[in-house]
Amino acid sequence: MVSWIISRLVVLIFGTLYPAYYSYKAVKSKDIKEYVKWMMYWIIFALFTTAETFTDIFLCWFPFYYELKIAFVAWLLSPYTKGSSLLYRKFVHPTLSSKEKEIDDCLVQAKDRSYDALVHFGKRGLNVAATAAVMAASKGQGALSERLRSFSMQDLTTIRGDGAPAPSSTPTPGSGRATGKHGQPKMSRSASESASSSGTA
């Protein structure tokens, strides 16, 4: 466990951060020699990181495995051994040069296939989303119609009857006989005069 922690710290500090800072200086100073040197290192380090992912799983039981990793990173960085430049010039560059066309063709095909797959899955996702939206809308409409059907015609009539205004009991002018103060009907003036004249006769 201690060896694993130490190896991770060494790889992080001396294998990643230290070269990153000197790569920044090479870019800033526009020194072609330093630029090429650190580019070769990063190519080798990328291959080392890829291989490390699998060797950490299958070779971690090997004696002095983590110590060998630390020694390998130090060998890559050392200005005396120039391990990264040596590996690049002797192995990586010749291999990539001979297989460059095949690698480019594979990358183009992978790019096209990934784009087609992305478009295909995007269309399927849109279709699924549209179908789900239509189903949700139809279910909501069905629930609303069932809710409306639950009211019978009698319930609707009752609701409408309760909401209608009651007829007014106030008589319209001239529709009935005029009443007096105490509800007695008033006699007209001509009728009262005829009654008094007949009484005096």
Side-chain angles (χ1 to χ4, degrees):
M1 185 65 181
V2 176
S3 300
W4 177 82
I5 295 174
I6 294 174
S7 68
R8 294 310 301 170
L9 288 175
V10 169
V11 171
L12 178 63
I13 296 172
F14 296 101
T16 306
L17 297 178
Y18 176 80
Y21 177 71
Y22 275 92
S23 298
Y24 154 75
K25 293 190 71 173
V27 172
K28 183 180 179 181
S29 62
K30 299 180 181 180
D31 188 345
I32 302 300
K33 184 178 179 180
E34 288 293 314
Y35 187 80
V36 172
K37 169 189 171 182
W38 290 113
M39 285 297 296
M40 289 189 293
Y41 169 81
W42 285 117
I43 293 172
I44 298 299
F45 187 77
L47 296 174
F48 164 74
T49 304
T50 305
E52 181 188 26
T53 304
F54 300 98
T55 56
D56 283 350
I57 299 173
F58 300 106
L59 297 179
C60 60
W61 55 268
F62 192 78
F64 303 107
Y65 168 74
Y66 295 107
E67 288 78 3
L68 290 174
K69 283 175 62 175
I70 294 172
F72 180 74
V73 172
W75 179 73
L76 290 178
L77 285 171
S78 175
Y80 303 102
T81 58
K82 297 180 180 180
S84 59
S85 299
L86 179 64
L87 288 177
Y88 179 82
R89 296 179 189 277
K90 292 291 184 181
F91 300 102
V92 177
H93 183 76
T95 304
L96 291 178
S97 296
S98 61
K99 302 292 183 181
E100 185 174 1
K101 188 177 184 305
E102 289 83 353
I103 295 173
D104 289 340
D105 293 339
C106 290
L107 290 176
V108 171
Q109 292 178 4
K111 182 180 178 181
D112 294 338
R113 289 177 181 176
S114 62
Y115 178 76
D116 294 338
L118 181 63
V119 171
H120 175 68
F121 285 113
K123 289 182 178 179
R124 289 188 61 182
L126 290 176
N127 290 334
V128 170
T131 304
V134 170
M135 290 180 63
S138 61
K139 287 182 179 179
Q141 186 177 5
L144 180 60
S145 50
E146 290 295 330
R147 179 74 175 176
L148 293 176
R149 276 198 208 106
S150 65
F151 293 102
S152 63
M153 293 303 296
Q154 183 177 359
D155 295 333
L156 293 175
T157 306
T158 304
I159 292 173
R160 187 170 61 182
D162 293 341
S168 177
S169 60
T170 305
T172 57
S175 62
R177 182 181 296 176
T179 58
K181 183 176 181 181
H182 299 286
Q184 297 296 330
K186 291 183 178 181
M187 297 179 63
S188 62
R189 185 175 181 180
S190 60
S192 60
E193 288 177 354
S194 61
S196 60
S197 62
S198 61
T200 53

